[in-house]
Amino acid sequence: RLGRKTVDAALLAEVPVAFVAYDCIAWDGALVVEEPWATRRARLLSLGWPAEAAAHARLAPAREATTADEVERAFAAARAAGN
C-alpha cells in the first residue's frame, strides 16, 4: 500500500491486481478445511463470480487429473499459459 489510502486509475493501469480464489478453508466463521475438496469448491461456486468482475475477482479454473501423465500435461499447459 505504501501509505496510500486511495488508488488512482493510473496506478491501477500500471499495476493491475486481481483476486483469484483457489480453495476455501474457512466459511462463515467456521474452518472447512477438513471437508472434501468438491464441497469446498461448491461453496466457492455458490458465490456467483459475475463475468464482468473477472478482471478483478475470479475463481481459478479446476480440472481433475487422475494419472501422473495427466498431472504432467496439466502442469505443462499451465506453464505454457504463463502460470
Side-chain angles (χ1 to χ4, degrees):
R1 200 174 96 184
L2 302 175
R4 293 182 185 92
K5 299 245 184 223
T6 60
V7 178
D8 63 18
L11 184 59
L12 285 173
E14 181 183 343
V15 186
V17 177
F19 172 79
V20 181
Y22 293 90
D23 199 351
C24 173
I25 60 171
W27 189 267
D28 199 22
L31 289 177
V32 296
V33 71
E34 296 295 329
E35 291 182 358
W37 175 82
T39 303
R40 297 190 318 266
R41 181 74 177 186
R43 289 179 183 276
L44 290 175
L45 286 167
S46 76
L47 295 175
W49 305 95
E52 62 273 7
H56 304 292
R58 61 187 173 275
L59 182 58
R63 74 174 89 159
E64 186 174 336
T66 58
T67 68
D69 286 341
E70 289 175 344
V71 171
E72 289 297 326
R73 282 194 299 274
F75 181 75
R79 295 293 292 165
N83 299 327

